[in-house]
Amino acid sequence: QVQLVESGGGLVQPGGSLRLSCAASGSRFRIYNMGWYRQAPGKQRELVATITSDGHTNYADSVRGRFPISRDNARNRVYLQMNSLKPEDTAVYYCNADIERLGESIIAGYWGRGTPVTVSS
């Protein structure tokens, strides 16, 4: 079984920063794309940023230039550095990864349980 566990959320004032982390755990798996999504109250889940296994990135227009995404392939981790936070960034942030369990010819999408981020003064 493969699991994704997020950490790093919390309460921060506008203009502040937070760093989210997501760790994949389990045995015998390979990770392809990783990314972050968010869901604000009353809204649909939306893409924040993604990163391929060789480091190519993609960002939502609303966070480009503020939220750099990175990953550590050796540690099976992905990070989201959130800078210049705004109240509209308030949401639950979810980690996502496309994972192949070795020995199975299937690449499946996995989700973490989410970590809440609140931007408020």
Side-chain angles (χ1 to χ4, degrees):
Q1 185 72 9
V2 180
Q3 290 187 325
L4 300 177
V5 178
E6 304 98 334
S7 62
L11 173 63
V12 63
Q13 293 186 342
S17 297
L18 282 174
R19 187 187 192 220
L20 303 184
S21 298
C22 172
S25 63
S27 61
R28 295 176 53 77
F29 61 91
R30 177 179 296 151
I31 304 176
Y32 294 89
N33 295 340
M34 302 187 81
W36 291 92
Y37 291 72
R38 68 186 181 186
Q39 187 166 16
K43 296 188 177 182
Q44 291 188 336
R45 191 173 298 187
E46 64 177 5
L47 179 146
V48 176
T50 61
I51 185 167
T52 66
S53 56
D54 56 358
H56 290 93
T57 58
N58 180 52
Y59 295 96
D61 290 342
S62 59
V63 307
R64 186 175 290 110
R66 298 190 298 128
F67 289 9
I69 187 172
S70 60
R71 65 189 284 172
D72 183 338
N73 290 332
R75 299 180 66 194
N76 296 324
R77 291 176 180 263
V78 63
Y79 306 97
L80 188 71
Q81 177 65 44
M82 302 191 296
N83 302 317
S84 303
L85 282 158
K86 305 175 182 179
E88 52 263 43
D89 295 318
T90 295
V92 178
Y93 284 72
Y94 296 91
C95 176
N96 172 265
D98 295 328
I99 295 174
E100 177 188 10
R101 296 177 64 182
L102 298 183
E104 301 178 9
S105 301
I106 299 173
I107 300 174
Y110 286 75
W111 292 92
R113 292 189 173 185
T115 184
V117 172
T118 302
V119 185
S120 175
S121 55

